[in-house]
Amino acid sequence: MRKIEHLGIAVKDLKASNQLFKKLLGKEHYKEEEVGGEGVMTSFFQVGETKIELLEATRPDSPIAKYLEQKSEGIHHIAFDVEDIHAEVERLIAEGFEILNETPKAGADNKLVVFLHPKSTNGVLVELCQERK
Ligand code: CO
Protein backbone atom coordinates (compact mmCIF):
# COMPACT_ATOMS: atom_id res chain seq x y z
CA MET A 1 0.00 0.00 0.00
CA ARG A 2 1.44 3.31 -1.05
CA LYS A 3 -0.43 6.05 0.79
CA ILE A 4 -3.77 6.98 2.27
CA GLU A 5 -5.69 7.87 -0.87
CA HIS A 6 -8.67 9.30 0.97
CA LEU A 7 -10.73 9.29 4.13
CA GLY A 8 -14.43 8.61 3.66
CA ILE A 9 -16.79 10.59 5.91
CA ALA A 10 -20.47 9.72 6.18
CA VAL A 11 -22.71 12.80 6.23
CA LYS A 12 -26.45 13.37 6.43
CA ASP A 13 -26.61 16.46 4.27
CA LEU A 14 -23.99 16.74 1.54
CA LYS A 15 -24.82 20.35 0.70
CA ALA A 16 -24.34 21.48 4.29
CA SER A 17 -21.20 19.39 4.67
CA ASN A 18 -19.73 20.80 1.46
CA GLN A 19 -20.09 24.25 3.00
CA LEU A 20 -18.62 23.08 6.29
CA PHE A 21 -15.59 21.43 4.69
CA LYS A 22 -15.09 24.41 2.41
CA LYS A 23 -14.77 26.57 5.53
CA LEU A 24 -12.60 23.99 7.29
CA LEU A 25 -10.18 23.36 4.43
CA GLY A 26 -10.25 26.81 2.86
CA LYS A 27 -11.08 25.48 -0.58
CA GLU A 28 -13.89 24.16 -2.73
CA HIS A 29 -14.48 20.50 -3.45
CA TYR A 30 -13.20 19.54 -6.89
CA LYS A 31 -15.99 17.19 -7.85
CA GLU A 32 -19.25 15.53 -6.94
CA GLU A 33 -19.95 12.10 -8.29
CA GLU A 34 -22.80 9.65 -7.80
CA VAL A 35 -21.97 5.96 -7.39
CA GLY A 36 -25.30 4.42 -8.34
CA GLY A 37 -24.39 0.85 -7.41
CA GLU A 38 -23.61 1.91 -3.83
CA GLY A 39 -26.45 4.36 -3.45
CA VAL A 40 -24.15 7.24 -2.59
CA MET A 41 -23.39 10.76 -3.74
CA THR A 42 -19.77 11.68 -3.11
CA SER A 43 -17.92 14.96 -2.88
CA PHE A 44 -14.13 15.19 -3.02
CA PHE A 45 -11.72 17.69 -1.51
CA GLN A 46 -8.01 17.54 -2.25
CA VAL A 47 -5.75 17.95 0.80
CA GLY A 48 -2.14 17.64 -0.27
CA GLU A 49 -1.68 14.12 -1.64
CA THR A 50 -4.78 12.89 0.14
CA LYS A 51 -8.47 13.49 -0.32
CA ILE A 52 -11.56 13.79 1.81
CA GLU A 53 -14.55 11.93 0.39
CA LEU A 54 -17.90 13.04 1.80
CA LEU A 55 -20.59 10.39 1.42
CA GLU A 56 -24.34 10.97 1.45
CA ALA A 57 -26.91 8.19 0.97
CA THR A 58 -29.13 8.49 -2.08
CA ARG A 59 -31.56 5.75 -1.03
CA PRO A 60 -32.67 4.06 2.21
CA ASP A 61 -30.91 0.73 1.49
CA SER A 62 -27.57 2.46 0.84
CA PRO A 63 -24.71 1.23 3.05
CA ILE A 64 -24.29 4.87 4.13
CA ALA A 65 -27.93 5.12 5.20
CA LYS A 66 -27.50 1.97 7.29
CA TYR A 67 -24.26 3.29 8.76
CA LEU A 68 -25.91 6.58 9.78
CA GLU A 69 -28.81 4.66 11.34
CA GLN A 70 -26.52 2.49 13.47
CA LYS A 71 -23.80 5.00 14.24
CA SER A 72 -23.62 8.67 13.38
CA GLU A 73 -21.89 11.04 11.05
CA GLY A 74 -18.14 10.60 11.06
CA ILE A 75 -15.21 8.72 9.58
CA HIS A 76 -16.63 5.79 7.63
CA HIS A 77 -13.57 4.29 5.93
CA ILE A 78 -9.88 4.67 5.20
CA ALA A 79 -8.84 4.12 1.59
CA PHE A 80 -5.33 3.01 0.68
CA ASP A 81 -3.87 3.50 -2.74
CA VAL A 82 -2.49 0.26 -4.20
CA GLU A 83 -0.59 -0.38 -7.38
CA ASP A 84 -2.08 -3.81 -8.18
CA ILE A 85 -5.42 -4.40 -6.49
CA HIS A 86 -5.65 -8.06 -7.53
CA ALA A 87 -2.24 -8.85 -6.04
CA GLU A 88 -3.14 -6.97 -2.82
CA VAL A 89 -6.40 -8.91 -2.47
CA GLU A 90 -4.52 -12.21 -2.83
CA ARG A 91 -1.91 -11.11 -0.33
CA LEU A 92 -4.51 -10.00 2.23
CA ILE A 93 -6.55 -13.20 1.86
CA ALA A 94 -3.36 -15.18 2.50
CA GLU A 95 -2.84 -13.04 5.61
CA GLY A 96 -6.30 -14.00 6.85
CA PHE A 97 -8.26 -10.81 6.22
CA GLU A 98 -11.91 -11.03 5.26
CA ILE A 99 -12.61 -9.35 1.94
CA LEU A 100 -16.12 -8.04 1.29
CA ASN A 101 -15.80 -8.09 -2.53
CA GLU A 102 -12.93 -10.12 -3.93
CA THR A 103 -13.72 -8.89 -7.41
CA PRO A 104 -12.85 -5.19 -7.58
CA LYS A 105 -15.77 -2.92 -8.42
CA ALA A 106 -16.05 0.55 -9.90
CA GLY A 107 -15.72 3.27 -7.26
CA ALA A 108 -15.88 7.03 -7.45
CA ASP A 109 -13.07 9.13 -8.90
CA ASN A 110 -11.98 6.62 -11.57
CA LYS A 111 -11.01 3.87 -9.15
CA LEU A 112 -11.31 0.11 -8.82
CA VAL A 113 -12.16 -0.65 -5.21
CA VAL A 114 -12.26 -3.54 -2.75
CA PHE A 115 -13.46 -3.36 0.85
CA LEU A 116 -12.23 -5.38 3.82
CA HIS A 117 -14.64 -6.45 6.53
CA PRO A 118 -14.18 -4.22 9.60
CA LYS A 119 -14.29 -7.24 11.90
CA SER A 120 -10.92 -8.35 10.51
CA THR A 121 -9.38 -4.86 10.73
CA ASN A 122 -10.00 -3.65 14.31
CA GLY A 123 -13.38 -2.21 13.42
CA VAL A 124 -12.08 0.01 10.64
CA LEU A 125 -13.65 -0.31 7.21
CA VAL A 126 -10.69 -0.43 4.83
CA GLU A 127 -10.93 0.34 1.13
CA LEU A 128 -8.23 -0.56 -1.36
CA CYS A 129 -8.23 1.55 -4.47
CA GLN A 130 -6.36 1.41 -7.70
CA GLU A 131 -6.47 4.05 -10.40
CA ARG A 132 -8.30 2.70 -13.46
CA LYS A 133 -6.07 2.78 -16.47
CO1 CO B 1 -13.88 5.71 -0.53
Side-chain angles (χ1 to χ4, degrees), residues 28-80:
E28 297 270 1
H29 64 172
Y30 67 90
K31 74 148 92 175
E32 273 190 10
E33 185 181 341
E34 186 166 6
V35 184
E38 301 288 309
V40 296
M41 180 63 86
T42 66
S43 171
F44 284 90
F45 292 80
Q46 189 79 43
V47 187
E49 281 199 13
T50 300
K51 298 161 190 163
I52 299 291
E53 175 187 39
L54 304 181
L55 302 146
E56 179 193 59
T58 55
R59 49 172 204 255
D61 66 340
S62 160
I64 294 300
K66 288 176 188 162
Y67 183 87
L68 288 173
E69 244 169 59
Q70 289 164 8
K71 300 187 177 172
S72 64
E73 292 184 299
I75 294 182
H76 175 260
H77 65 269
I78 300 179
F80 294 99

Side-chain angles (χ1 to χ4, degrees), residues 6-8 44 53 55 77-79 113 115 127 129:
H6 63 267
L7 289 177
F44 284 90
E53 175 187 39
L55 302 146
H77 65 269
I78 300 179
V113 304
F115 287 93
E127 174 185 342
C129 58

Side-chain angles (χ1 to χ4, degrees), residues 5 10 12 53 55-56 67 71 74 79 86 92-93 96-97 101-102 113 117:
E5 213 282 334
K12 290 177 184 162
E53 175 187 39
L55 302 146
E56 179 193 59
Y67 183 87
K71 300 187 177 172
H86 297 281
L92 293 170
I93 288 171
F97 291 96
N101 60 301
E102 289 185 20
V113 304
H117 198 295

